[in-house]
Amino acid sequence: MMEIDGLAKAFDGVPALVDVALSVRNDEYLTLLGPSGSGKSTLLRLIAGLEQADAGKIRLDGADLTHAPAHLRGLGFVQQKYALFPTMSVADNIAFGLRHRRLAPVSDAAEVARRVARMIDLVGLAGLEGRQIGQLSGGQKQRVSLARTLVTEPKICLLDEPLGALDANLRERMTVELRRIREALGVTFLHVTGNEAEALAMGDRMVVLDAGRVLQVDSPATVYSAPATVRVARFVNAYNLLSGKSSGGRFRRGAHDLPLPPGVGDAAHYALRYDAVAIDEPAAALDDDRASLPATFIASEFLGSRVVYLFRLPDGAVMEVERHLSRFDPIVLRPDEPRRLSWAICDVLAFDAAGTLISNDRLGRAA
Amino acid sequence: MTATNTDIVYVAGQSAPAKPSFLARNRHYVLLLPGVLWMLVFLVMPLLMMLYVSFWTQTTFAIHSTLTLKSWVTFFSSDTYVEALMRTLRIWLIVLGLTFAIGYPTALFIGQFVRDKTVQTILLVACVIPFWTSFLIRVLAWRPMLGREGAINIVLMKFGVISHPISQLLFTELSVIIGMVQIYVVFMVGPIAFMLARIDDSLIEAARDLGASPMTIFRRIIFPLSLPGVTVGAIFVSVMVLGEFATSAALSGRKVNLLGNIIVTQVGSLKWAFAAVAGVVLTVVMAAVIAGLLRLVDLRREL
């Protein structure tokens, strides 16, 4: 188990991480989501010992690692660019850590070969042991890089955007593979990514990082359905976010006035999941438990199992509506065609002026 | 170029256009013509001519084209010439070793420990600054440095390290080696520093992370990746040192004769056949050295 406390790092006076606290459990898949420049790579490099922290502590199973040199930490770091050694074969790359590490190197050639062979099997590289690095595809390099780290049996394996350089098809396969390999070894993975779908799909828990601060640490389901702040809601990329002022249980935005869920007082942000919005005729009747806004159609995007429709509100803001084709038939709209967008009031998430989620009855029940 | 467009539909019965003629298909080789001609006339022909002349008959005042092995036999049966060949090889090996021993650490510093690309460039340019003066001045400048009354002897005497000036510093093999190392070390530093600067930091970080100590990282990762640079540098230094005559002439007082010096002397006394023999021997030695160095590292794979 790793405890990170008050970790801070600045580059040339520009803060990259500010007071980061995080605890990483044994045997878990932890994903770390953040936009580029959020400090997620810096956090990983500090943990690996490739950069030195300005302040704060990193403890692993009680031992202080904050200033330990990288080669004595016993952690694994899978580089984004794979960083395979070009002068060595696949097997020699994987064996490097076992043979040449400072702490407890394995000098018995048969033992090295046995462990390398086991790892080659696990990551699915059988038959490629003798290949040179230049003869491998991107996906194979990824596997070699992973095997090279995992064979040293690190306490925690740090992965820096491991799927970033792979094409879509391969990425989906590696998503499943990474989880399988992790479960087979029982090692903790700390997977850094800028892709919200990846972070949600792969993590047992996920951390959302922005501007060097941790915004939320929760299960992916909780992060998705109850983002702790407006910024998290934005990174999850599933919410229409409207900002305005509220008074007397109603949310005011320009000329429009929207009902807030019961129990919500002062809201500054109003969030609606893309798939919680319905597209109605302009003059359609509205149930009491629903709210609506007029909008004009801009464009739609067909995504296979679902269609995304983009609408413009009277004040110019864009609303995204997602309709799953298993539940709705696609509809055809002309550009600028007027429609009314409606949603159940209880589906609304409200955030206060500081951007923090205001809990309401529905969320109370969910938690 | 409509004839080669793929979207032309051929109507049945109409014959497809004939395959472009041999000349049209191989037109791009014309690009090579100037280079090939130049090399043929000014490199290949003279080399063959040199080989041919080395078998001509040389008399004291004349040379004629009757073929004979006499110059070759003289060259290899005379101690002076065989010794010059051996001396050339010995000095080459020493200078190569010293330029590597001095150049590699310098290149390692520039290529790996200077993070700023601008500073890297400035340092490499600084290595080249001595080349802003002429070759002869660079070589002759060693005389007031190494001579009996030279700077080194004066300083050593002043500090009482020695009581008599060391006379072995100048006009010996040592002074030739010192001069050559100083001139050629930069040709070793350049290519090695270039290769070292190209090594991706992530490789070194990966090795650190896998638990390797800095020494292991150097031995297993950095040094193997710099080998192509070492080969290129060694080829530069070898070719120049093996063909040297000016440094040895200026710093040895004509006491240390290399193959290059022999060629200059023989040409000066119009002994063309003999000079040609020495020239062929030198060319063969250089070719063997380069082939051997290329064997050591597969440049095509590494670069």
Side-chain angles (χ1 to χ4, degrees):
Chain A
M1 171 155 165
M2 186 166 66
E3 296 282 350
I4 295 170
D5 192 27
L7 205 62
K9 174 78 183 172
F11 292 104
D12 299 328
V14 182
L17 286 180
V18 189
D19 193 23
V20 169
L22 183 65
S23 92
V24 183
R25 300 173 189 158
N26 290 334
D27 195 11
E28 76 165 337
Y29 202 126
L30 185 63
T31 52
L32 209 157
L33 173 68
S36 61
S38 61
K40 55 187 196 296
S41 289
T42 306
L43 176 56
L44 217 55
R45 293 174 65 81
L46 285 177
I47 296 174
L50 299 174
E51 305 277 356
Q52 289 299 310
D54 297 340
K57 285 260 176 289
I58 302 170
R59 278 190 212 86
L60 182 66
D61 297 330
D64 187 352
L65 280 191
T66 319
H67 299 290
H71 64 285
L72 304 178
R73 289 195 180 202
L75 299 174
F77 187 34
V78 179
Q79 300 251 2
Q80 186 177 4
K81 292 178 286 179
Y82 315 134
L84 301 179
F85 307 131
T87 50
M88 300 177 199
S89 69
V90 168
D92 286 338
N93 258 281
I94 297 175
F96 185 89
L98 290 180
R99 283 185 190 142
H100 301 307
R101 65 182 170 200
R102 187 73 170 279
L103 295 176
V106 181
S107 50
D108 175 14
E111 173 68 8
V112 170
R114 197 183 61 74
R115 287 162 75 167
V116 168
R118 190 175 140 252
M119 198 47 68
I120 282 175
D121 269 349
L122 183 69
V123 300
L125 284 171
L128 301 178
E129 295 86 345
R131 286 271 184 95
Q132 289 298 311
I133 297 310
Q135 301 168 303
L136 298 179
S137 70
Q140 290 166 340
K141 284 184 186 164
Q142 167 79 70
R143 285 159 195 266
V144 176
S145 177
L146 190 64
R148 185 178 66 176
T149 299
L150 292 178
V151 79
T152 61
E153 293 169 358
K155 290 177 192 121
I156 295 177
C157 180
L158 311 164
L159 300 116
D160 190 8
E161 309 212 19
L163 308 179
L166 302 180
D167 58 51
N169 223 333
L170 211 52
R171 194 176 311 162
E172 235 161 80
R173 233 183 36 231
M174 275 313 281
T175 308
V176 181
E177 286 280 278
L178 278 175
R179 287 192 65 96
R180 178 184 66 79
I181 292 166
R182 194 203 75 73
E183 274 156 27
L185 296 173
V187 60
T188 293
F189 272 21
L190 177 52
H191 172 149
V192 157
T193 177
N195 180 321
E196 68 284 349
E198 208 173 292
L200 289 165
M202 305 192 67
D204 298 325
R205 289 193 308 150
M206 69 184 275
V207 180
V208 184
L209 201 68
D210 182 51
R213 291 170 195 274
V214 173
L215 299 184
Q216 187 168 10
V217 186
D218 258 316
S219 73
T222 309
V223 172
Y224 188 78
S225 59
T229 70
V230 173
R231 299 190 69 85
V232 176
R234 189 167 295 136
F235 298 143
V236 166
N237 195 23
Y239 289 90
N240 290 299
L241 293 164
L242 302 173
S243 47
K245 283 198 171 75
S246 62
S247 60
R250 308 220 20 117
F251 183 80
R252 194 150 294 138
R253 181 182 167 83
H256 296 277
D257 198 309
L258 300 167
L260 282 165
V264 172
D266 252 2
H269 303 274
Y270 193 94
L272 275 170
R273 263 212 352 232
Y274 298 155
D275 57 353
V277 181
I279 304 166
D280 299 332
E281 291 296 323
L286 195 68
D287 292 337
D288 280 349
D289 58 352
R290 293 181 76 80
S292 75
L293 275 175
T296 54
F297 177 70
I298 306 171
S300 67
E301 191 182 357
F302 175 68
L303 294 170
S305 62
R306 60 196 204 278
V307 183
V308 169
Y309 300 88
L310 298 173
F311 287 90
R312 194 183 304 285
L313 298 181
D315 58 15
V318 173
M319 279 269 254
E320 219 172 307
V321 180
E322 196 175 290
R323 282 163 64 102
H324 289 262
L325 296 181
S326 57
R327 293 171 58 204
F328 304 99
D329 284 331
I331 51 173
V332 178
L333 295 168
R334 280 177 289 104
D336 293 327
E337 201 172 321
R339 276 291 179 273
R340 185 157 274 277
L341 302 179
S342 75
W343 54 89
I345 297 166
C346 65
D347 283 339
V348 171
L349 293 182
F351 297 88
D352 65 17
T356 310
L357 180 67
I358 304 168
S359 91
N360 63 33
D361 297 349
R362 187 179 67 91
L363 288 172
R365 250 181 287 127
Chain B
M1 293 301 280
T2 50
T4 56
N5 274 352
T6 48
D7 54 4
I8 290 174
V9 179
Y10 299 118
V11 181
Q14 198 178 344
S15 67
K19 212 168 91 175
S21 71
F22 176 81
L23 272 177
R25 272 182 291 133
N26 295 292
R27 234 183 331 212
H28 51 282
Y29 286 110
V30 175
L31 293 172
L32 282 178
L33 203 61
V36 169
L37 273 180
W38 185 272
M39 295 305 262
L40 268 180
V41 174
F42 297 110
L43 184 76
V44 178
M45 295 256 296
L47 273 176
L48 292 175
M49 196 64 200
M50 180 173 75
L51 187 63
Y52 180 44
V53 170
S54 74
F55 292 103
W56 283 9
T57 306
Q58 177 90 57
T59 57
T60 315
F61 299 109
I63 184 165
H64 52 91
S65 58
T66 319
L67 295 184
T68 169
L69 277 174
K70 202 167 156 279
S71 307
W72 283 91
V73 172
T74 317
F75 185 91
F76 282 105
S77 56
S78 141
D79 283 350
T80 322
Y81 302 125
V82 175
E83 262 169 34
L85 175 60
M86 289 305 144
R87 191 178 299 120
T88 308
L89 292 175
R90 186 173 65 238
I91 289 184
W92 160 65
L93 278 175
I94 294 171
V95 172
L96 188 62
L98 284 173
T99 50
F100 175 76
I102 297 169
Y104 199 94
T106 313
L108 190 62
F109 177 81
I110 296 174
Q112 278 289 312
F113 292 94
V114 179
R115 304 271 34 118
D116 188 332
K117 289 278 167 208
T118 321
V119 180
Q120 268 183 8
T121 314
I122 291 171
L123 288 175
L124 279 175
V125 169
C127 291
V128 186
I129 285 179
F131 286 79
W132 293 357
T133 61
S134 91
F135 183 89
L136 205 58
I137 290 173
R138 262 176 291 135
V139 171
L140 291 177
W142 279 108
R143 286 201 186 177
M145 196 68 190
L146 299 173
R148 265 187 74 86
E149 321 267 300
I152 291 179
N153 273 325
I154 291 175
V155 170
L156 288 181
M157 299 251 289
K158 269 258 153 69
F159 283 100
V161 181
I162 49 171
S163 49
H164 302 287
I166 308 169
S167 54
Q168 283 83 1
L169 283 181
L170 189 59
F171 301 133
T172 55
E173 244 181 64
L174 178 68
S175 56
V176 175
I177 289 167
I178 291 175
M180 283 190 185
V181 168
Q182 186 254 320
I183 293 167
Y184 297 122
V185 71
V186 62
F187 294 97
M188 194 60 105
V189 174
I192 298 175
F194 174 76
M195 285 309 289
L196 287 170
R198 272 179 23 151
I199 297 176
D200 198 331
D201 286 344
S202 67
L203 288 186
I204 292 155
E205 288 178 354
R208 272 170 71 190
D209 187 72
L210 290 167
S213 66
M215 197 57 213
T216 310
I217 296 175
F218 175 75
R219 268 189 23 239
R220 303 283 170 183
I221 311 287
I222 297 177
F223 187 69
L225 283 171
S226 70
L227 269 182
V230 175
T231 310
V232 171
I235 289 175
F236 282 168
V237 172
S238 301
V239 167
M240 286 182 288
V241 170
L242 286 168
E244 253 284 13
F245 64 93
T247 310
S248 51
L251 290 181
S252 77
R254 303 201 180 279
K255 279 192 285 186
V256 176
N257 280 316
L258 305 179
L259 273 185
N261 300 93
I262 290 182
I263 296 174
V264 173
T265 321
Q266 298 298 328
V267 169
S269 51
L270 301 178
K271 299 265 176 63
W272 290 103
F274 213 78
V277 171
V280 172
V281 170
L282 189 55
T283 311
V284 169
V285 168
M286 280 187 189
V289 165
I290 293 172
L293 285 170
L294 287 176
R295 268 270 161 102
L296 231 57
V297 177
D298 185 354
L299 278 186
R300 252 176 318 173
R301 213 188 74 199
E302 307 283 346
L303 282 179

